[in-house]
């Protein structure tokens, strides 16, 4: 059954803003995405009024859920701080109570999406995720450098080292974990109405791509990114994990910076190709994590050199070694070089990542070595948990 934007608007007709104006006329609604019975939109309000709007958000979600044919509703309350305005109130203490919903639980408010002013520890504002010892980000300055492929194979490398590992695909602009893992199911809800992560390769896996169509995800705006990622972190029954690897959206814009600030990260891995341009982007990534006091665990050079699948000859088509040099210059660990190889591309795109499908091959060994360095840096945190 098709659900139209007009039906969604009609369902909201009786809902009033905290000041008594009809919600539809309060100039706060984002564009409404209604595809295949899945409805998503945000209510954008001033940070100072965010708390007063939470009940409106819940009402809106309930009203949309009642439309015949609606299977999933996600209404995000997003708050923007106007330049010069007072700082937003602190976020409510997580874990947040899940909002009943047929598909995915409701999204909790994000109180600001402006980039943080440096110097504050993200830990000061973000409580940890119960049961998860360390959350780490895999980031890149731009798309297409192999960030997602690296994130998944790193997660598998950590698994091979005997750790309990989860993977959260937070790349809301282009979630690729469904493709990389071959998973396309929608997560079920447990008795506490938390989403149960999908399992494959011994990993607990969650992706925004399990919840929304790729095209829908791509038009989401920055504040909605944060809401959705918060939901996937806090409203998912992750269980007990040593490491949760977060595949970040590429780039270093406001949305990424806010994520880096609001996700309780123990560290970040930056993926770069050796080309100058992506190194410049990688440097921006480093600066971004520095700004929010997240330790950079190191740089991985992906597509480091071309290895001929037939004769094994190596060619430095992108000027191999740039990331290692850059890491030395910036004083961050260099985690390893991953070749540009057909086997990595083919296994990634077939949903059979190389560390799992060719565990005795040379590529798996490289990813495991990267994972070993990451594990060593997190040892204290994991042991403490
Ligand atoms: P990103 O997450 O940075 O956008 P992806 O991980 O989706 O990048 O990779 C982009 C493409 O490059 C995919 O087709 C993937 O299979 C391929 N790829 C990534 N790393 C390698 C590699 N080391 N060798 C060959 N192909 C790779």
């Amino acid at each position: 059954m098709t659900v139209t934007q007009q039906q969604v608007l009609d369902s909201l007709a009786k809902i009033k803003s905290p000041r008594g104006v009809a919600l539809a006329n309060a100039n706060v609604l984002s564009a409404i995405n209604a595809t295949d019975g899945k409805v998503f939109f945000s209510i954008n309000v001033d940070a100072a009024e965010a708390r007063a709007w939470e009940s409106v958000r819940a009402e809106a979600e309930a009203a949309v859920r009642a439309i015949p044919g609606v299977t999933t509703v996600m209404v995000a309350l997003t708050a923007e701080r106007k330049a010069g305005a007072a700082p937003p109130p602190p976020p409510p203490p997580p874990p947040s109570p899940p909002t009943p919903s047929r598909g995915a639980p409701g999204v909790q408010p994000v109180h600001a999406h402006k980039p943080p002013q440096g110097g504050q520890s993200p830990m000061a504002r973000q409580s940890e995720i119960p049961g998860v010892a360390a959350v780490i980000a895999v980031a890149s300055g731009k798309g297409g450098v192999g960030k997602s492929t690296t994130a998944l194979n790193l997660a598998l490398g950590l698994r091979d080292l005997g750790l309990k590992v989860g993977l959260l695909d937070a790349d809301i602009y282009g979630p690729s974990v469904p493709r990389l893992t071959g998973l396309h199911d929608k997560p079920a809800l447990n008795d506490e109405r938390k989403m149960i992560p999908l399992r494959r390769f011994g990993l607990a896996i969650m992706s925004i791509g399990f919840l929304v169509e790729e095209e829908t995800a791509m038009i989401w705006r920055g504040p909605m990114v944060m809401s959705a990622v918060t939901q996937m972190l806090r409203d998912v029954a992750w269980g007990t994990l040593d490491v949760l690897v977060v595949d970040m959206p590429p780039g270093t814009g406001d949305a990424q910076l806010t994520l880096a600030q609001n996700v309780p990260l123990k560290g970040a891995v930056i993926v770069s190709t050796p080309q100058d341009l992506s190194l410049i982007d990688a440097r921006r990534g480093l600066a971004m994590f520095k700004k929010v006091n997240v330790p950079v665990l190191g740089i991985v050079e992906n597509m480091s050199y071309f290895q001929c699948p037939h004769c094994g000859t190596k060619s430095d088509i992108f000027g191999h070694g740039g990331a290692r040099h850059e890491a030395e210059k910036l004083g961050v660990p260099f985690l390893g070089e991953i070749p540009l190889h057909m086997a990595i591309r083919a296994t990634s795109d077939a949903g059979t990542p190389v560390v799992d499908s060719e565990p005795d091959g040379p590529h798996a060994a490289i990813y495991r070595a990267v994972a070993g360095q990451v594990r060593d840096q997190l040892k204290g945190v994991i042991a403490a948990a």
Side-chain angles (χ1 to χ4, degrees):
M1 193 184 292
T2 316
V3 178
T4 64
Q5 292 182 343
Q6 193 55 50
Q7 276 177 292
V8 174
L9 280 173
D10 291 348
S11 77
L12 302 177
K14 292 208 177 93
I15 300 175
K16 294 219 160 41
S17 77
R19 291 191 181 153
V21 182
L23 176 60
N25 298 332
N27 207 17
V28 291
L29 292 183
S30 71
I32 292 168
N33 297 305
T35 319
D36 296 338
K38 298 176 189 137
V39 178
F40 306 96
F41 60 92
S42 67
I43 302 175
N44 307 300
V45 300
D46 198 66
E49 296 179 354
R51 278 181 199 281
W53 279 89
E54 172 52 24
S55 59
V56 179
R57 185 202 70 76
E59 250 184 281
E61 204 167 67
V64 176
R65 202 179 309 123
I67 302 172
V70 167
T71 55
T72 305
V73 193
M74 198 191 267
V75 180
L77 185 57
T78 60
E80 302 185 23
R81 180 153 33 126
K82 294 198 179 84
S96 45
T99 311
S101 169
R102 210 179 299 162
V107 179
Q108 296 304 311
V110 175
H111 289 274
H113 84 290
K114 284 287 165 204
Q117 304 306 304
Q120 300 157 306
S121 160
M123 300 299 160
R125 271 155 293 125
Q126 275 305 304
S127 67
E128 322 251 325
I129 298 162
V132 179
V135 184
I136 63 168
V138 175
S140 63
K142 64 170 191 173
V145 302
K147 171 182 55 60
S148 301
T149 301
T150 307
L152 175 56
N153 282 298
L154 167 64
L156 291 167
L158 291 165
R159 173 205 68 178
D160 287 351
L161 298 173
L163 300 179
K164 288 199 206 81
V165 186
L167 176 68
L168 168 57
D169 177 9
D171 186 349
I172 196 159
Y173 301 120
S176 43
V177 163
R179 170 175 52 87
L180 296 177
T181 58
L183 288 170
H184 299 282
D185 303 331
K186 204 156 162 253
L189 298 182
N190 70 10
D191 291 345
E192 294 169 331
R193 304 202 65 81
K194 289 201 167 205
M195 285 181 275
I196 303 167
L198 303 185
R199 288 205 76 86
R200 182 149 302 176
F201 316 121
L203 306 176
I205 304 175
M206 185 64 204
S207 169
I208 194 76
F210 300 153
L211 302 177
V212 299
E213 304 300 326
E214 208 164 308
E215 314 83 71
T216 311
M218 290 179 76
I219 56 168
W220 283 23
R221 302 181 327 132
M224 292 183 81
V225 175
M226 192 55 232
S227 295
V229 174
T230 304
Q231 179 176 338
M232 288 196 296
L233 273 174
R234 312 243 171 237
D235 292 343
V236 168
W238 286 108
T240 309
L241 295 179
D242 295 306
V243 184
L244 176 59
V245 177
V246 180
D247 182 7
M248 296 275 284
T252 50
D254 276 10
Q256 288 81 356
L257 187 58
T258 308
L259 265 187
Q261 183 196 32
N262 283 286
V263 174
L265 295 172
K266 288 283 190 279
V269 170
I270 310 247
V271 180
S272 175
T273 64
Q275 288 142 295
D276 264 347
L277 181 62
S278 73
L279 283 178
I280 292 166
D281 291 325
R283 248 172 266 158
R284 288 203 195 106
L286 283 172
M288 175 175 86
F289 287 112
K290 202 167 163 208
K291 206 168 179 177
V292 294
N293 288 343
V294 172
V296 172
L297 303 172
I299 299 182
V300 173
E301 186 171 273
N302 191 37
M303 310 189 193
S304 183
Y305 50 89
F306 174 69
Q307 195 170 15
C308 172
H310 307 294
C311 63
T313 311
K314 291 180 174 182
S315 332
D316 295 342
I317 49 178
F318 292 137
H320 163 223
R324 178 189 290 275
H325 184 66
E326 189 65 23
E328 275 166 18
K329 232 169 65 188
L330 294 164
V332 297
F334 182 69
L335 299 176
E337 295 168 351
I338 297 157
L340 176 67
H341 196 283
M342 272 296 285
I344 298 179
R345 196 205 60 74
T347 51
S348 272
D349 295 348
T352 55
V354 74
V355 172
D356 194 76
S357 56
E358 299 175 16
D360 300 323
H363 308 308
I366 295 173
Y367 283 114
R368 275 197 297 270
V370 171
Q373 292 193 61
V374 169
R375 187 262 327 260
D376 289 349
Q377 293 193 58
L378 296 173
K379 241 179 191 159
V381 180
I382 296 170

